[in-house]
Amino acid sequence: MTGAERRGDGRRSPEELRSHAWYGTDGLRSFSHRARTRQLGYLPEEHLGKPVIAVLNTWSDINPCHQHLRERAEAVKRGVWQAGGFPLEFPVSTLSETFQKPTPMLYRNLLALETEELLRSYPVDGAVLMGGCDKTTPGLLMGAASADLPALFVPAGPMLRGHWRGETLGSGTDMWKYWDDKRAGLIGDCEMAELECGLARSPGHCMTMGTASTMTAVAEALGVTVPGASSIPAVDSGHSRMAAAAGMRAVELAWRDLRLSRILTREAYEDAVTTVAALGGSTNAIIHLIAMAGRSGVKLTLDDFDAIVRRVPVLANLRPGGAYLMEDFHYAGGLPGLLARLADRLHLDRPTVAHDSLREQIAGALVHDDDVIRTAGDPLAPEGGIAVLRGNLAPDGAVIKHVAAEPHLLRHTGPAVVFDDYRTLQATIDDPDLGITADSVLVLRGSGPLGGPGMPEYGMLPIPAHLLKQGVRDMVRISDARMSGTSYGACVLHVAPESHAGGPLALVRTGDPVTLDVEARLLRLEVDEAELERRRAALTPPTARYGRGYGALYEQHITQADTGCDFDFLARPGEVPEPYAG
């Protein structure tokens, strides 16, 4: 009989805590562990017999999305102490979307691996994961799911809305917009200097429905945050209270041994996809959710996404597909309000870290602004804003965020203009001798998981300056890259297999007709199969980019976009033994 059964309260006894193996025995090692904890300045009564809660903090001096997490970690630890736990803060990799090159996507799996091994190798009974910038949310949750300890997530929160000359700005989205205006000659250096100071004016991640806001909303929809956590502005005092509440809850999860495997079920992942659809969320969520689900032993596919988004309306009127920003969304009711309006499409009886069921968690949730969070009878769009495409150009799939594209381009055939790499595109895109017109289909290859490397956000290919000056603001663009979730346009992304792996994108030549038909879910190269076979036979495999180091490990083990871009040795099932602490 366990201690919990003896007490009848569902809690474990102190002797059943995982950290007891480090601290609680009579052997030499436990003596050493206790002595070194005294060296850290802690009294026995401060930690012995209490759940040890790891606070994994992705703060750094060069990550503006997380610049406040040093303070928030103190709030988390305050909550842990108040609930009778023992908090220990661990610094982990910071993945700054703004500064890390060639892309933080190259390092998402490194953060996941670090998270998993840190939680496994130290005397930890539970964890609070702190992040929010695009790749940190999936990286932390992938690692924690593999370690499978009691854990919950503290989102960094969106920054405040931007301002410029009486206009409300959305980070990312308005950057792309005004950069095109500059290239078109509509604004100059003075305006751009002002925009630099008004676009991002507080700590926190992007306040549009980009990848950061999509993935923190995913975390809440999965049930691994305290309710309402994902949309609280980073500088709101409610964010500190949420962090403290998360610390308190982590202690209870550890006592009850409520592991992530009980939370991250197939039903939870389906509800997360439903949430992404209703938010008009980032295309990057597809890659991340497939990888996260794989770590939980759940097979989530592109077809699952397409089936779900076809039956879910877009209810969140948020940029880049809508009008508002995350601050507006939070005060309109946040994710609890949105989920309440999706209740008939959700698995309401599954547990979350905060409640016995999602039904209980969203009971009584209200929406205070029906224009920000629409009703099913008045949606922003009748079906989710992401479509999965297939055809001879993308046999394993590609995606498009069609809700953020100009409608006339959603069924289009035009001649390809092909670029073999992003540097060449940057150097030549404005060359009028390329003959690019508004009907052209811009094709970029060599930018996938292997070719990028790391699948950078190159997919929002720039429109030639001469077309911008004519008023053209969207074109069909196709690549094996990703794009920023804050961006917009008729951009076909994640083409799989990528060109670097010998996918059909490597066969396209300038002038080839290419057809996009979003309603038919079709992406097709209008070239006969015999000619494609001749081109395929002439392909020369690219050489490896990395001779050593992490890059070499990445090249050897990364999977393609349709299966989540995880490392094959991390994604596969298999037992990992608990470390011997004695």
Side-chain angles (χ1 to χ4, degrees), residues 66 129-138 141 153-158 205-206 208-226 228-232 239 275-276 279 285 288 292 326 329 335:
H66 297 175
L129 316 168
M130 303 184 67
C133 194
D134 298 13
K135 312 304 179 296
T136 55
T137 302
L141 287 171
F153 184 72
V154 169
H205 58 67
C206 290
T208 50
M209 187 43 67
T211 305
S213 293
T214 301
M215 294 312 301
T216 55
V218 159
E220 184 173 342
L222 286 169
V224 295
T225 75
V226 296
S230 63
S231 61
I232 304 172
H239 198 268
T275 302
V276 171
L279 289 169
H288 296 318
M292 292 162 65
M326 288 301 295
F329 180 72
L335 202 70

mmCIF file of all heavy atoms in Angstrom, residues 66 129-138 141 153-158 205-206 208-226 228-232 239 275-276 279 285 288 292 326 329 335:
data_model
loop_
_atom_site.group_PDB
_atom_site.id
_atom_site.type_symbol
_atom_site.label_atom_id
_atom_site.label_comp_id
_atom_site.label_asym_id
_atom_site.label_seq_id
_atom_site.Cartn_x
_atom_site.Cartn_y
_atom_site.Cartn_z
ATOM 1 N N HIS A 66 12.088 37.324 -23.405
ATOM 2 C CA HIS A 66 12.229 36.710 -22.084
ATOM 3 C C HIS A 66 12.953 37.603 -21.081
ATOM 4 O O HIS A 66 13.367 37.128 -20.031
ATOM 5 C CB HIS A 66 13.014 35.394 -22.205
ATOM 6 C CG HIS A 66 12.345 34.352 -23.026
ATOM 7 N ND1 HIS A 66 12.938 33.143 -23.322
ATOM 8 C CD2 HIS A 66 11.134 34.327 -23.636
ATOM 9 C CE1 HIS A 66 12.124 32.419 -24.070
ATOM 10 N NE2 HIS A 66 11.026 33.125 -24.281
ATOM 11 N N LEU A 129 8.306 25.158 -16.406
ATOM 12 C CA LEU A 129 9.028 25.471 -17.640
ATOM 13 C C LEU A 129 8.690 26.897 -18.043
ATOM 14 O O LEU A 129 7.519 27.234 -18.212
ATOM 15 C CB LEU A 129 8.615 24.506 -18.750
ATOM 16 C CG LEU A 129 8.518 23.028 -18.359
ATOM 17 C CD1 LEU A 129 7.832 22.233 -19.459
ATOM 18 C CD2 LEU A 129 9.893 22.460 -18.046
ATOM 19 N N MET A 130 9.700 27.748 -18.215
ATOM 20 C CA MET A 130 9.470 29.164 -18.480
ATOM 21 C C MET A 130 9.979 29.539 -19.870
ATOM 22 O O MET A 130 11.169 29.404 -20.159
ATOM 23 C CB MET A 130 10.178 30.015 -17.425
ATOM 24 C CG MET A 130 9.758 29.702 -16.004
ATOM 25 S SD MET A 130 10.535 30.811 -14.809
ATOM 26 C CE MET A 130 9.744 32.360 -15.253
ATOM 27 N N GLY A 131 9.074 29.984 -20.728
ATOM 28 C CA GLY A 131 9.471 30.385 -22.068
ATOM 29 C C GLY A 131 8.322 31.030 -22.807
ATOM 30 O O GLY A 131 7.261 31.279 -22.243
ATOM 31 N N GLY A 132 8.521 31.296 -24.077
ATOM 32 C CA GLY A 132 7.464 31.899 -24.869
ATOM 33 C C GLY A 132 7.899 32.242 -26.276
ATOM 34 O O GLY A 132 7.122 32.149 -27.211
ATOM 35 N N CYS A 133 9.175 32.656 -26.454
ATOM 36 C CA CYS A 133 9.673 32.921 -27.798
ATOM 37 C C CYS A 133 9.558 31.632 -28.617
ATOM 38 O O CYS A 133 9.772 30.535 -28.094
ATOM 39 C CB CYS A 133 11.107 33.425 -27.732
ATOM 40 S SG CYS A 133 11.709 34.151 -29.273
ATOM 41 N N ASP A 134 9.267 31.770 -29.889
ATOM 42 C CA ASP A 134 8.701 30.730 -30.737
ATOM 43 C C ASP A 134 9.089 29.285 -30.414
ATOM 44 O O ASP A 134 8.243 28.434 -30.162
ATOM 45 C CB ASP A 134 9.080 30.997 -32.195
ATOM 46 C CG ASP A 134 8.524 32.306 -32.718
ATOM 47 O OD1 ASP A 134 8.059 33.125 -31.920
ATOM 48 O OD2 ASP A 134 8.560 32.515 -33.931
ATOM 49 N N LYS A 135 10.395 28.973 -30.444
ATOM 50 C CA LYS A 135 10.838 27.576 -30.347
ATOM 51 C C LYS A 135 10.970 27.096 -28.915
ATOM 52 O O LYS A 135 11.115 25.890 -28.686
ATOM 53 C CB LYS A 135 12.180 27.384 -31.060
ATOM 54 C CG LYS A 135 12.260 27.991 -32.451
ATOM 55 C CD LYS A 135 11.175 27.492 -33.375
ATOM 56 C CE LYS A 135 11.280 28.148 -34.743
ATOM 57 N NZ LYS A 135 11.061 29.603 -34.746
ATOM 58 N N THR A 136 10.943 28.025 -27.938
ATOM 59 C CA THR A 136 11.146 27.589 -26.559
ATOM 60 C C THR A 136 9.958 26.798 -26.026
ATOM 61 O O THR A 136 10.145 25.831 -25.286
ATOM 62 C CB THR A 136 11.421 28.790 -25.634
ATOM 63 O OG1 THR A 136 10.363 29.747 -25.759
ATOM 64 C CG2 THR A 136 12.734 29.443 -25.979
ATOM 65 N N THR A 137 8.753 27.186 -26.411
ATOM 66 C CA THR A 137 7.579 26.460 -25.918
ATOM 67 C C THR A 137 7.600 25.000 -26.369
ATOM 68 O O THR A 137 7.535 24.093 -25.526
ATOM 69 C CB THR A 137 6.277 27.154 -26.351
ATOM 70 O OG1 THR A 137 6.273 28.503 -25.867
ATOM 71 C CG2 THR A 137 5.065 26.413 -25.817
ATOM 72 N N PRO A 138 7.707 24.710 -27.674
ATOM 73 C CA PRO A 138 7.768 23.294 -28.053
ATOM 74 C C PRO A 138 9.021 22.599 -27.544
ATOM 75 O O PRO A 138 8.967 21.427 -27.150
ATOM 76 C CB PRO A 138 7.717 23.323 -29.583
ATOM 77 C CG PRO A 138 8.161 24.691 -29.963
ATOM 78 C CD PRO A 138 7.689 25.590 -28.859
ATOM 79 N N LEU A 141 8.527 21.692 -23.860
ATOM 80 C CA LEU A 141 7.484 20.683 -23.663
ATOM 81 C C LEU A 141 7.863 19.342 -24.282
ATOM 82 O O LEU A 141 7.498 18.288 -23.757
ATOM 83 C CB LEU A 141 6.156 21.184 -24.224
ATOM 84 C CG LEU A 141 5.479 22.272 -23.382
ATOM 85 C CD1 LEU A 141 4.278 22.874 -24.101
ATOM 86 C CD2 LEU A 141 5.055 21.718 -22.025
ATOM 87 N N PHE A 153 3.743 24.781 -17.569
ATOM 88 C CA PHE A 153 4.421 25.784 -18.387
ATOM 89 C C PHE A 153 3.989 27.185 -17.970
ATOM 90 O O PHE A 153 2.807 27.435 -17.729
ATOM 91 C CB PHE A 153 4.083 25.537 -19.856
ATOM 92 C CG PHE A 153 4.784 26.444 -20.823
ATOM 93 C CD1 PHE A 153 6.145 26.298 -21.069
ATOM 94 C CD2 PHE A 153 4.099 27.444 -21.480
ATOM 95 C CE1 PHE A 153 6.798 27.130 -21.964
ATOM 96 C CE2 PHE A 153 4.734 28.273 -22.378
ATOM 97 C CZ PHE A 153 6.088 28.122 -22.623
ATOM 98 N N VAL A 154 4.958 28.105 -17.884
ATOM 99 C CA VAL A 154 4.686 29.515 -17.624
ATOM 100 C C VAL A 154 5.004 30.299 -18.898
ATOM 101 O O VAL A 154 6.184 30.467 -19.238
ATOM 102 C CB VAL A 154 5.516 30.042 -16.444
ATOM 103 C CG1 VAL A 154 5.438 31.565 -16.356
ATOM 104 C CG2 VAL A 154 5.027 29.445 -15.132
ATOM 105 N N PRO A 155 3.989 30.762 -19.625
ATOM 106 C CA PRO A 155 4.248 31.526 -20.849
ATOM 107 C C PRO A 155 4.847 32.891 -20.533
ATOM 108 O O PRO A 155 4.480 33.532 -19.542
ATOM 109 C CB PRO A 155 2.854 31.675 -21.475
ATOM 110 C CG PRO A 155 1.971 30.699 -20.756
ATOM 111 C CD PRO A 155 2.552 30.551 -19.393
ATOM 112 N N ALA A 156 5.751 33.348 -21.400
ATOM 113 C CA ALA A 156 6.381 34.653 -21.193
ATOM 114 C C ALA A 156 5.392 35.800 -21.336
ATOM 115 O O ALA A 156 5.577 36.867 -20.750
ATOM 116 C CB ALA A 156 7.535 34.838 -22.182
ATOM 117 N N GLY A 157 4.359 35.606 -22.123
ATOM 118 C CA GLY A 157 3.350 36.650 -22.304
ATOM 119 C C GLY A 157 3.689 37.599 -23.440
ATOM 120 O O GLY A 157 4.860 37.867 -23.722
ATOM 121 N N PRO A 158 2.662 38.141 -24.106
ATOM 122 C CA PRO A 158 2.893 39.064 -25.216
ATOM 123 C C PRO A 158 3.342 40.437 -24.746
ATOM 124 O O PRO A 158 2.995 40.880 -23.652
ATOM 125 C CB PRO A 158 1.529 39.142 -25.901
ATOM 126 C CG PRO A 158 0.544 38.839 -24.812
ATOM 127 C CD PRO A 158 1.232 37.851 -23.902
ATOM 128 N N HIS A 205 6.835 38.403 -25.899
ATOM 129 C CA HIS A 205 6.924 37.930 -27.283
ATOM 130 C C HIS A 205 5.944 38.682 -28.164
ATOM 131 O O HIS A 205 5.188 39.539 -27.691
ATOM 132 C CB HIS A 205 6.709 36.418 -27.342
ATOM 133 C CG HIS A 205 5.396 35.954 -26.780
ATOM 134 N ND1 HIS A 205 4.189 36.248 -27.375
ATOM 135 C CD2 HIS A 205 5.100 35.213 -25.682
ATOM 136 C CE1 HIS A 205 3.207 35.701 -26.685
ATOM 137 N NE2 HIS A 205 3.729 35.070 -25.646
ATOM 138 N N CYS A 206 5.943 38.383 -29.455
ATOM 139 C CA CYS A 206 5.099 39.100 -30.415
ATOM 140 C C CYS A 206 3.637 39.078 -29.985
ATOM 141 O O CYS A 206 3.113 38.054 -29.541
ATOM 142 C CB CYS A 206 5.249 38.498 -31.808
ATOM 143 S SG CYS A 206 6.860 38.809 -32.549
ATOM 144 N N THR A 208 1.065 39.746 -31.946
ATOM 145 C CA THR A 208 0.176 39.262 -32.992
ATOM 146 C C THR A 208 -0.013 37.751 -32.804
ATOM 147 O O THR A 208 0.638 37.139 -31.966
ATOM 148 C CB THR A 208 0.804 39.547 -34.368
ATOM 149 O OG1 THR A 208 2.151 39.072 -34.350
ATOM 150 C CG2 THR A 208 0.802 41.029 -34.682
ATOM 151 N N MET A 209 -0.906 37.161 -33.596
ATOM 152 C CA MET A 209 -1.080 35.710 -33.515
ATOM 153 C C MET A 209 -0.023 35.035 -34.387
ATOM 154 O O MET A 209 -0.310 34.339 -35.347
ATOM 155 C CB MET A 209 -2.503 35.317 -33.932
ATOM 156 C CG MET A 209 -2.847 33.834 -33.721
ATOM 157 S SD MET A 209 -2.285 33.101 -32.157
ATOM 158 C CE MET A 209 -3.297 33.964 -30.966
ATOM 159 N N GLY A 210 1.245 35.312 -34.035
ATOM 160 C CA GLY A 210 2.368 34.655 -34.676
ATOM 161 C C GLY A 210 2.663 33.335 -33.995
ATOM 162 O O GLY A 210 1.858 32.801 -33.223
ATOM 163 N N THR A 211 3.856 32.823 -34.228
ATOM 164 C CA THR A 211 4.198 31.514 -33.679
ATOM 165 C C THR A 211 4.245 31.524 -32.163
ATOM 166 O O THR A 211 3.785 30.584 -31.511
ATOM 167 C CB THR A 211 5.545 31.038 -34.242
ATOM 168 O OG1 THR A 211 5.483 31.051 -35.668
ATOM 169 C CG2 THR A 211 5.862 29.628 -33.779
ATOM 170 N N ALA A 212 4.795 32.591 -31.575
ATOM 171 C CA ALA A 212 4.906 32.637 -30.116
ATOM 172 C C ALA A 212 3.534 32.571 -29.458
ATOM 173 O O ALA A 212 3.292 31.741 -28.566
ATOM 174 C CB ALA A 212 5.661 33.894 -29.692
ATOM 175 N N SER A 213 2.622 33.441 -29.876
ATOM 176 C CA SER A 213 1.275 33.445 -29.273
ATOM 177 C C SER A 213 0.511 32.170 -29.601
ATOM 178 O O SER A 213 -0.268 31.673 -28.784
ATOM 179 C CB SER A 213 0.486 34.668 -29.756
ATOM 180 O OG SER A 213 1.035 35.862 -29.260
ATOM 181 N N THR A 214 0.736 31.631 -30.804
ATOM 182 C CA THR A 214 0.083 30.367 -31.159
ATOM 183 C C THR A 214 0.544 29.244 -30.237
ATOM 184 O O THR A 214 -0.272 28.478 -29.711
ATOM 185 C CB THR A 214 0.393 29.993 -32.618
ATOM 186 O OG1 THR A 214 -0.059 31.029 -33.494
ATOM 187 C CG2 THR A 214 -0.303 28.697 -33.003
ATOM 188 N N MET A 215 1.855 29.147 -30.025
ATOM 189 C CA MET A 215 2.379 28.023 -29.243
ATOM 190 C C MET A 215 2.092 28.159 -27.748
ATOM 191 O O MET A 215 1.885 27.149 -27.062
ATOM 192 C CB MET A 215 3.875 27.856 -29.490
ATOM 193 C CG MET A 215 4.224 27.432 -30.913
ATOM 194 S SD MET A 215 3.252 26.035 -31.550
ATOM 195 C CE MET A 215 3.655 24.755 -30.351
ATOM 196 N N THR A 216 2.063 29.366 -27.210
ATOM 197 C CA THR A 216 1.674 29.492 -25.799
ATOM 198 C C THR A 216 0.187 29.187 -25.636
ATOM 199 O O THR A 216 -0.224 28.585 -24.634
ATOM 200 C CB THR A 216 2.014 30.889 -25.246
ATOM 201 O OG1 THR A 216 1.429 31.904 -26.061
ATOM 202 C CG2 THR A 216 3.518 31.089 -25.178
ATOM 203 N N ALA A 217 -0.629 29.562 -26.636
ATOM 204 C CA ALA A 217 -2.038 29.167 -26.608
ATOM 205 C C ALA A 217 -2.178 27.656 -26.714
ATOM 206 O O ALA A 217 -3.039 27.047 -26.060
ATOM 207 C CB ALA A 217 -2.802 29.853 -27.742
ATOM 208 N N VAL A 218 -1.337 27.022 -27.531
ATOM 209 C CA VAL A 218 -1.323 25.566 -27.628
ATOM 210 C C VAL A 218 -1.036 24.946 -26.264
ATOM 211 O O VAL A 218 -1.690 23.974 -25.853
ATOM 212 C CB VAL A 218 -0.276 25.115 -28.672
ATOM 213 C CG1 VAL A 218 0.147 23.665 -28.447
ATOM 214 C CG2 VAL A 218 -0.832 25.284 -30.075
ATOM 215 N N ALA A 219 -0.051 25.498 -25.548
ATOM 216 C CA ALA A 219 0.274 24.965 -24.225
ATOM 217 C C ALA A 219 -0.930 25.030 -23.295
ATOM 218 O O ALA A 219 -1.226 24.072 -22.565
ATOM 219 C CB ALA A 219 1.456 25.730 -23.633
ATOM 220 N N GLU A 220 -1.643 26.150 -23.333
ATOM 221 C CA GLU A 220 -2.832 26.261 -22.481
ATOM 222 C C GLU A 220 -3.927 25.304 -22.940
ATOM 223 O O GLU A 220 -4.596 24.662 -22.113
ATOM 224 C CB GLU A 220 -3.347 27.695 -22.467
ATOM 225 C CG GLU A 220 -4.520 27.879 -21.518
ATOM 226 C CD GLU A 220 -4.964 29.321 -21.353
ATOM 227 O OE1 GLU A 220 -4.206 30.246 -21.690
ATOM 228 O OE2 GLU A 220 -6.096 29.531 -20.860
ATOM 229 N N ALA A 221 -4.125 25.198 -24.257
ATOM 230 C CA ALA A 221 -5.149 24.283 -24.770
ATOM 231 C C ALA A 221 -4.828 22.835 -24.428
ATOM 232 O O ALA A 221 -5.729 22.035 -24.143
ATOM 233 C CB ALA A 221 -5.283 24.449 -26.283
ATOM 234 N N LEU A 222 -3.555 22.484 -24.435
ATOM 235 C CA LEU A 222 -3.146 21.130 -24.041
ATOM 236 C C LEU A 222 -3.433 20.856 -22.577
ATOM 237 O O LEU A 222 -3.528 19.695 -22.170
ATOM 238 C CB LEU A 222 -1.657 20.934 -24.312
ATOM 239 C CG LEU A 222 -1.227 20.768 -25.770
ATOM 240 C CD1 LEU A 222 0.297 20.847 -25.883
ATOM 241 C CD2 LEU A 222 -1.720 19.449 -26.344
ATOM 242 N N GLY A 223 -3.546 21.898 -21.783
ATOM 243 C CA GLY A 223 -3.829 21.728 -20.356
ATOM 244 C C GLY A 223 -2.603 21.755 -19.481
ATOM 245 O O GLY A 223 -2.641 21.230 -18.367
ATOM 246 N N VAL A 224 -1.495 22.395 -19.950
ATOM 247 C CA VAL A 224 -0.262 22.380 -19.161
ATOM 248 C C VAL A 224 0.099 23.753 -18.613
ATOM 249 O O VAL A 224 1.241 23.984 -18.214
ATOM 250 C CB VAL A 224 0.919 21.788 -19.964
ATOM 251 C CG1 VAL A 224 0.670 20.325 -20.276
ATOM 252 C CG2 VAL A 224 1.189 22.584 -21.230
ATOM 253 N N THR A 225 -0.866 24.681 -18.557
ATOM 254 C CA THR A 225 -0.677 25.958 -17.877
ATOM 255 C C THR A 225 -1.820 26.156 -16.895
ATOM 256 O O THR A 225 -2.832 25.449 -16.945
ATOM 257 C CB THR A 225 -0.687 27.156 -18.850
ATOM 258 O OG1 THR A 225 -2.036 27.415 -19.270
ATOM 259 C CG2 THR A 225 0.177 26.893 -20.073
ATOM 260 N N VAL A 226 -1.674 27.143 -16.005
ATOM 261 C CA VAL A 226 -2.830 27.542 -15.220
ATOM 262 C C VAL A 226 -3.795 28.250 -16.167
ATOM 263 O O VAL A 226 -3.387 28.815 -17.190
ATOM 264 C CB VAL A 226 -2.427 28.446 -14.028
ATOM 265 C CG1 VAL A 226 -1.539 27.690 -13.057
ATOM 266 C CG2 VAL A 226 -1.759 29.727 -14.491
ATOM 267 N N GLY A 228 -5.946 30.630 -18.401
ATOM 268 C CA GLY A 228 -5.821 32.023 -18.822
ATOM 269 C C GLY A 228 -4.405 32.526 -18.941
ATOM 270 O O GLY A 228 -4.184 33.699 -19.264
ATOM 271 N N ALA A 229 -3.411 31.656 -18.747
ATOM 272 C CA ALA A 229 -2.025 32.108 -18.653
ATOM 273 C C ALA A 229 -1.466 32.639 -19.964
ATOM 274 O O ALA A 229 -0.618 33.527 -19.970
ATOM 275 C CB ALA A 229 -1.141 30.965 -18.151
ATOM 276 N N SER A 230 -1.929 32.103 -21.094
ATOM 277 C CA SER A 230 -1.194 32.313 -22.341
ATOM 278 C C SER A 230 -1.309 33.716 -22.907
ATOM 279 O O SER A 230 -0.461 34.120 -23.716
ATOM 280 C CB SER A 230 -1.655 31.301 -23.392
ATOM 281 O OG SER A 230 -3.021 31.471 -23.722
ATOM 282 N N SER A 231 -2.310 34.473 -22.528
ATOM 283 C CA SER A 231 -2.483 35.791 -23.153
ATOM 284 C C SER A 231 -2.204 36.955 -22.212
ATOM 285 O O SER A 231 -2.326 38.116 -22.616
ATOM 286 C CB SER A 231 -3.919 35.926 -23.705
ATOM 287 O OG SER A 231 -4.871 35.809 -22.660
ATOM 288 N N ILE A 232 -1.816 36.711 -20.970
ATOM 289 C CA ILE A 232 -1.555 37.809 -20.034
ATOM 290 C C ILE A 232 -0.365 38.612 -20.534
ATOM 291 O O ILE A 232 0.714 38.059 -20.747
ATOM 292 C CB ILE A 232 -1.252 37.286 -18.620
ATOM 293 C CG1 ILE A 232 -2.392 36.406 -18.109
ATOM 294 C CG2 ILE A 232 -1.012 38.449 -17.659
ATOM 295 C CD1 ILE A 232 -2.063 35.706 -16.792
ATOM 296 N N HIS A 239 0.615 38.825 -14.619
ATOM 297 C CA HIS A 239 1.607 37.856 -15.063
ATOM 298 C C HIS A 239 2.430 37.337 -13.897
ATOM 299 O O HIS A 239 2.726 36.142 -13.803
ATOM 300 C CB HIS A 239 2.504 38.480 -16.137
ATOM 301 C CG HIS A 239 3.259 37.485 -16.943
ATOM 302 N ND1 HIS A 239 4.527 37.068 -16.609
ATOM 303 C CD2 HIS A 239 2.923 36.782 -18.061
ATOM 304 C CE1 HIS A 239 4.943 36.179 -17.487
ATOM 305 N NE2 HIS A 239 3.994 35.987 -18.381
ATOM 306 N N THR A 275 -7.706 24.427 -31.541
ATOM 307 C CA THR A 275 -7.424 25.775 -31.048
ATOM 308 C C THR A 275 -6.621 26.575 -32.063
ATOM 309 O O THR A 275 -6.912 27.750 -32.322
ATOM 310 C CB THR A 275 -6.671 25.699 -29.711
ATOM 311 O OG1 THR A 275 -7.463 24.971 -28.769
ATOM 312 C CG2 THR A 275 -6.369 27.081 -29.160
ATOM 313 N N VAL A 276 -5.597 25.962 -32.655
ATOM 314 C CA VAL A 276 -4.797 26.640 -33.676
ATOM 315 C C VAL A 276 -5.693 27.076 -34.836
ATOM 316 O O VAL A 276 -5.576 28.200 -35.345
ATOM 317 C CB VAL A 276 -3.656 25.727 -34.180
ATOM 318 C CG1 VAL A 276 -2.970 26.342 -35.393
ATOM 319 C CG2 VAL A 276 -2.641 25.486 -33.072
ATOM 320 N N LEU A 279 -7.867 30.039 -33.859
ATOM 321 C CA LEU A 279 -7.070 31.251 -33.675
ATOM 322 C C LEU A 279 -6.563 31.816 -34.994
ATOM 323 O O LEU A 279 -6.068 32.948 -35.024
ATOM 324 C CB LEU A 279 -5.859 30.953 -32.780
ATOM 325 C CG LEU A 279 -6.130 30.697 -31.305
ATOM 326 C CD1 LEU A 279 -4.875 30.160 -30.633
ATOM 327 C CD2 LEU A 279 -6.597 31.978 -30.609
ATOM 328 N N ALA A 285 3.012 25.953 -36.051
ATOM 329 C CA ALA A 285 2.407 25.075 -35.054
ATOM 330 C C ALA A 285 2.257 23.656 -35.576
ATOM 331 O O ALA A 285 2.272 22.695 -34.786
ATOM 332 C CB ALA A 285 1.040 25.622 -34.631
ATOM 333 N N HIS A 288 5.602 21.876 -34.961
ATOM 334 C CA HIS A 288 5.857 21.715 -33.528
ATOM 335 C C HIS A 288 4.898 20.716 -32.887
ATOM 336 O O HIS A 288 5.309 19.875 -32.081
ATOM 337 C CB HIS A 288 5.751 23.061 -32.824
ATOM 338 C CG HIS A 288 6.790 24.053 -33.258
ATOM 339 N ND1 HIS A 288 8.102 23.710 -33.463
ATOM 340 C CD2 HIS A 288 6.698 25.386 -33.528
ATOM 341 C CE1 HIS A 288 8.779 24.786 -33.838
ATOM 342 N NE2 HIS A 288 7.951 25.812 -33.884
ATOM 343 N N MET A 292 5.817 17.401 -30.888
ATOM 344 C CA MET A 292 5.408 17.278 -29.479
ATOM 345 C C MET A 292 4.576 16.022 -29.270
ATOM 346 O O MET A 292 4.778 15.280 -28.304
ATOM 347 C CB MET A 292 4.632 18.526 -29.062
ATOM 348 C CG MET A 292 5.481 19.788 -28.994
ATOM 349 S SD MET A 292 4.485 21.309 -29.018
ATOM 350 C CE MET A 292 3.601 21.166 -27.458
ATOM 351 N N MET A 326 -2.915 40.755 -29.109
ATOM 352 C CA MET A 326 -3.083 39.851 -27.975
ATOM 353 C C MET A 326 -3.603 40.549 -26.722
ATOM 354 O O MET A 326 -4.332 39.953 -25.924
ATOM 355 C CB MET A 326 -1.765 39.149 -27.667
ATOM 356 C CG MET A 326 -1.380 38.094 -28.691
ATOM 357 S SD MET A 326 -2.617 36.783 -28.877
ATOM 358 C CE MET A 326 -2.560 36.031 -27.255
ATOM 359 N N PHE A 329 -7.199 40.527 -27.100
ATOM 360 C CA PHE A 329 -7.687 39.155 -26.928
ATOM 361 C C PHE A 329 -7.766 38.800 -25.444
ATOM 362 O O PHE A 329 -8.754 38.209 -24.987
ATOM 363 C CB PHE A 329 -6.750 38.196 -27.664
ATOM 364 C CG PHE A 329 -7.129 36.747 -27.578
ATOM 365 C CD1 PHE A 329 -8.229 36.260 -28.265
ATOM 366 C CD2 PHE A 329 -6.383 35.856 -26.824
ATOM 367 C CE1 PHE A 329 -8.578 34.910 -28.196
ATOM 368 C CE2 PHE A 329 -6.710 34.522 -26.753
ATOM 369 C CZ PHE A 329 -7.822 34.042 -27.439
ATOM 370 N N LEU A 335 -7.959 32.826 -23.831
ATOM 371 C CA LEU A 335 -8.192 31.474 -24.335
ATOM 372 C C LEU A 335 -9.363 30.781 -23.639
ATOM 373 O O LEU A 335 -10.104 30.042 -24.291
ATOM 374 C CB LEU A 335 -6.931 30.623 -24.232
ATOM 375 C CG LEU A 335 -6.954 29.435 -25.189
ATOM 376 C CD1 LEU A 335 -6.813 29.902 -26.631
ATOM 377 C CD2 LEU A 335 -5.855 28.444 -24.873
#
